[in-house]
Amino acid sequence: MKTDIILAGVGGQGILSIAAVIGAAALENNLELKQAETHGMSQRGGDVVSHMRISDQTIYSDLIPKGKADLILAVEPMESLRYLPYLSTEGYVVTNSTPFLNIDNYPELENVKAEIQKHKNVVLIDADKIAKEAGSVRASNIVMLGAASPFIGVDFEVLEKGVEAIFKKKGADIVNMNLKALRAGREFALAN
Amino acid sequence: MQKHLLLGVEAIGQGAIDGGMSGVYAYPGTPSTEITEYIQENELAKERNIHREWSANEKTAMETALGMSYAGKRAMVCMKHVGLNVAADAFVNAAITGVNGGLIVTVADDPSMHSSQNEQDSRFYAKFSMIPVLEPSNQQEAYDMARIGFELSEKAGVPVLLRITTRLAHSRAGVVRKELLDENTMVLPKDPRQFVLLPSIARKRYNMLLGNQDGYIQMAEESVYNKYIDRENKKLGIICCGIAYNYLMENYPEDDCPHPILKISQYPVPEKMIRKMEEECDELLVMEEGYPLVEEMLSDFFGRGKNVKGRLDGTLPRAGELNPDWVAKALGLPCTEGREIPELVESRPPALCMGCGHMDVYKAMNEALEVYGKGRVFSDIGCYTLGALPPYESINSCVDMGASITMAKGAADAGLIPSVAVIGDSTFTHSGITGLLDAVNEKSSITVIISDNESVSMTGGQHSSAEGKIEDICAAVGVHPDHIKVIIPHKKNHEEMVQLINEELAYEGVSVIVPRRECIQRAARMRRMAKAAKEN
Ligand SMILES: Cc1ncc(C[n+]2csc(CCOP(=O)(O)OP(=O)(O)O)c2C)c(N)n1
């Protein structure tokens, strides 16, 4: 198996936590993994991206070649569009529908959504709302991970274990809330 | 074998610890910062009491590490590429003094300028200094090289450059740790004059360095990191430096590249291997992350020799970091591409955080400067550089760390009075103090605003060497105490700050204003840490 994932968002939105969970899961499954992150200047509210590659074979490049990604997992709708050149025609766009408004010239949200819907395989999800229902808006990134979970290529139980491992330090309540968020995201994706 | 998921920079930190390092010396700078941060958090580093505090700048870091090497122990210096400009005097001369304990200089280059003002290639500095270079192609090699680099340095008798670039620095992969090596015990250099670069001694040492070059080439020739992979189709020979090897292999995942490949990860370049490739192949393609250093060496000025392709002839773009797509194109392989980016997608540049004190400074400064007109603010490198962008558009320069004060002085010398410098607290102690001394000595009419957020924020909130010292430093340098003014940059102090800046702009001499309010990111982090400490 081999899955190439583009994780996209805005600095501070928590895409690195998503990456950490997938990373822990991949390690648990004895898979090879490479994950290129954005550190530095862009983390100050700029656009950030992470190239995440998991495979049962050797992975060479830290960057995903254009047109080869299986999945764009975006925690912000406009950011899901920025990396379309990387997505394969059969690939999935799984994106949060709640915009992060820190620029004056943010396009009309309806137009952004229309562009997203032009893609063949799309899951557009109001992760912030679902996260709130699960306990906290701060878990919206984990809702997104749940929504993308059917397309990642690792068993859901292993992702659950990954969530447990990553949030263990923060106590049982936080772990349970994030597990709830993960499951709610997955249910939405499977139902839609 | 247990694999640890590590960033390239973390792999280097772990490798250095496992290689018997006794001290890391560094000034923060993307993409190198996390090497030192990793060591600072590491349990074994704490147990061994490895030195791991931040230095005031890259030059002090380099020299301190050289001192540790003098005393026989293993040391590493870490910095971003432009930091090597600051440390260059020490770096170049350390090749002449040579080392006692192993010394690795780890420099992280930033091609494509993700977080930098240029994309200079540190391998040139090593070539200039005539010392060996290690350039890992992946995280495991990064670990291995940091671990064995000390031994290589001791064997070569000079510092070794460990060169990485952003992509490897900030990409994670599984790394297998190797046996932990002992630290060196303290021992003075055998020759007590080794480090005394008086001309008579320096000439001898320089001749020794020249004499050692063939040995360094031989080491590269025998290095496990350099490989000649022979293949059938000799129409083309491919030379890949560092991470470029991965992009080549990405395009031949079944390891079915038809052309001979030379993977270079240790320099000086392995001459025999290159000659073999030149003899066997019709054309050469050189792929390197950074400047075309090897390509330039092999390119034939008069056009009578072998055709060498790469960044110079346009086979690969001249600027920017490599990627698997460019490499595919250079190899003539088909490229795929998904949908274009829809036109409505807007860029999202980095910005100052909500509530940041730098914003209050710029609001007040813009208002105070209105009567004088635009174009007189020299700034520096840090979060406050974002004041160049709307809505502030407050600053007119950002060149290198410390250049705000000195450029303001130069402009004042030319008649631009008042000239203003805006500099951060960490940048001030990194390279601002000496410039301030120049200005004081000549009573230049400049107003220096040291926007103090009590943190090195742009690189992630490291401890600032300036903390609690700025007014004392300015007074000691000779700024008149009446013209050292501290104020809290806050909305409610806006009018007061405008007035203060106005007064100091009118003063014919050096004045320093210190708007001081803790970085809000750092404050939030401290609160979180305090809360976590209380809960445990
Ligand atoms: C020679 C050199 N070293 C390091 C850096 C990386 N760097 C850029 S900004 C910065 C921090 C500056 O801190 P400070 O002046 O306190 O400003 P702040 O970001 O906190 O506002 C550093 C270390 C650099 N650009 N050049």
Side-chain angles (χ1 to χ4, degrees), chain A residues 9-162:
Chain A
V10 180
Q13 275 195 308
I15 67 167
L16 293 185
S17 304
I18 301 179
V21 175
I22 302 176
L27 221 56
E28 171 81 21
N29 270 8
N30 270 326
L31 294 171
E32 294 280 322
L33 171 131
K34 275 203 170 175
Q35 185 220 329
E37 303 177 353
T38 312
H39 289 207
M41 200 143 173
S42 298
Q43 287 175 298
R44 302 260 164 286
D47 50 275
V48 292
V49 61
S50 172
H51 290 226
M52 175 120 210
R53 318 191 70 188
I54 47 184
S55 171
D56 52 12
Q57 308 279 316
T58 305
I59 304 164
Y60 287 102
S61 171
D62 298 271
L63 293 172
I64 299 168
K66 289 208 175 125
K68 296 279 172 65
D70 302 294
L71 169 65
I72 290 177
L73 201 184
V75 293
E76 205 283 343
M78 185 178 78
E79 295 308 322
S80 76
L81 298 172
R82 199 182 297 282
Y83 306 97
L84 282 178
Y86 287 94
L87 192 63
S88 78
T89 33
E90 296 304 312
Y92 271 80
V93 177
V94 179
T95 179
N96 189 0
S97 61
T98 311
F100 187 90
L101 300 171
N102 67 342
I103 49 172
D104 296 336
N105 53 348
Y106 196 94
E108 280 298 323
L109 186 59
E110 287 317 307
N111 298 343
V112 173
K113 286 185 181 169
E115 281 293 345
I116 293 168
Q117 294 293 4
K118 278 188 197 166
H119 200 75
K120 190 165 146 201
N121 302 318
V122 173
V123 178
L124 189 62
I125 171 172
D126 190 343
D128 290 38
K129 184 164 147 251
I130 295 178
K132 219 177 279 166
E133 287 161 10
S136 164
V137 195
R138 293 185 54 191
S140 86
N141 54 349
I142 300 302
V143 171
M144 288 311 306
L145 175 60
S149 62
F151 319 112
I152 292 177
V154 293
D155 291 341
F156 188 64
E157 295 71 46
V158 185
L159 284 177
E160 288 181 316
K161 266 198 214 160

Side-chain angles (χ1 to χ4, degrees), chain B residues 161-226:
Chain B
L161 176 76
L162 177 54
R163 188 246 186 182
I164 54 167
T165 55
T166 305
R167 198 49 63 192
L168 179 59
H170 289 160
S171 175
R172 241 173 255 282
V175 171
V176 179
R177 277 179 67 185
K178 299 187 174 146
E179 182 198 344
L180 174 67
L181 304 178
D182 288 335
E183 292 178 63
N184 287 357
T185 45
M186 198 176 80
V187 56
L188 293 179
K190 277 195 211 85
D191 172 6
R193 303 202 305 172
Q194 178 189 335
F195 286 79
V196 188
L197 294 187
L198 274 170
S200 57
I201 302 169
R203 277 192 285 271
K204 277 194 205 117
R205 299 260 352 145
Y206 181 55
N207 275 318
M208 251 171 80
L209 179 65
L210 293 175
N212 284 338
Q213 295 303 307
D214 285 346
Y216 298 164
I217 295 170
Q218 192 58 33
M219 286 176 186
E221 219 77 69
E222 289 160 11
S223 166
V224 292
Y225 305 115
N226 294 340

Side-chain angles (χ1 to χ4, degrees), chain B residues 162-424:
Chain B
L162 177 54
R163 188 246 186 182
I164 54 167
T165 55
T166 305
R167 198 49 63 192
L168 179 59
H170 289 160
S171 175
R172 241 173 255 282
V175 171
V176 179
R177 277 179 67 185
K178 299 187 174 146
E179 182 198 344
L180 174 67
L181 304 178
D182 288 335
E183 292 178 63
N184 287 357
T185 45
M186 198 176 80
V187 56
L188 293 179
K190 277 195 211 85
D191 172 6
R193 303 202 305 172
Q194 178 189 335
F195 286 79
V196 188
L197 294 187
L198 274 170
S200 57
I201 302 169
R203 277 192 285 271
K204 277 194 205 117
R205 299 260 352 145
Y206 181 55
N207 275 318
M208 251 171 80
L209 179 65
L210 293 175
N212 284 338
Q213 295 303 307
D214 285 346
Y216 298 164
I217 295 170
Q218 192 58 33
M219 286 176 186
E221 219 77 69
E222 289 160 11
S223 166
V224 292
Y225 305 115
N226 294 340
K227 271 196 303 202
Y228 194 99
I229 304 161
D230 205 7
R231 292 288 154 82
E232 286 295 308
N233 186 336
K234 316 273 188 210
K235 281 210 177 76
L236 183 72
I238 304 170
I239 298 177
C240 300
C241 300
I243 201 170
Y245 177 72
N246 293 347
Y247 298 136
L248 176 76
M249 295 303 287
E250 179 70 24
N251 282 289
Y252 296 106
E254 308 299 327
D255 196 10
D256 51 356
C257 176
H259 307 291
I261 303 165
L262 173 53
K263 169 187 178 290
I264 299 183
S265 280
Q266 182 174 333
Y267 308 71
V269 291
E271 284 183 7
K272 273 194 215 129
M273 289 177 171
I274 291 182
R275 283 187 201 288
K276 177 174 150 79
M277 183 166 271
E278 196 268 346
E279 275 159 25
E280 289 182 353
C281 300
D282 301 342
E283 278 188 328
L284 300 181
L285 168 62
V286 187
M287 303 200 279
E288 20 193 353
E289 181 83 312
Y291 289 6
L293 176 133
V294 174
E295 186 184 349
E296 218 168 71
M297 285 171 70
L298 305 185
S299 294
D300 166 13
F301 186 87
F302 293 104
R304 293 173 197 149
K306 194 130 293 182
N307 191 14
V308 179
K309 303 197 291 184
R311 286 187 186 264
L312 292 173
D313 76 331
T315 303
L316 287 162
R318 175 64 181 77
E321 69 168 324
L322 295 175
N323 60 52
D325 307 301
W326 285 1
V327 168
K329 199 159 162 249
L331 294 163
L333 297 172
C335 294
T336 51
E337 183 141 4
R339 248 172 79 195
E340 268 179 48
I341 304 174
E343 247 173 59
L344 58 78
V345 174
E346 296 290 346
S347 66
R348 202 189 293 258
L352 290 168
C353 308
M354 296 283 272
C356 169
H358 292 321
M359 298 206 243
D360 297 293
V361 174
Y362 283 133
K363 272 183 214 149
M365 191 187 76
N366 280 359
E367 200 174 314
L369 276 170
E370 228 161 77
V371 289
Y372 297 99
K374 284 197 169 295
R376 53 181 75 239
V377 181
F378 301 87
S379 192
D380 232 298
I381 305 192
C383 288
Y384 50 93
T385 315
L386 296 170
L389 307 176
Y392 305 102
E393 303 186 74
S394 298
I395 62 169
N396 307 106
S397 77
C398 157
V399 182
D400 66 271
M401 289 188 83
S404 56
I405 299 178
T406 32
M407 282 183 71
K409 179 189 182 299
D413 290 349
L416 189 69
I417 293 173
S419 285
V420 180
V422 179
I423 187 168

Side-chain angles (χ1 to χ4, degrees), chain B residues 97-117:
Chain B
T97 63
V99 302
N100 186 20
L103 177 56
I104 301 178
V105 184
T106 303
V107 183
D109 293 352
D110 189 19
S112 285
M113 304 180 224
H114 298 281
S115 301
S116 307
Q117 66 270 48

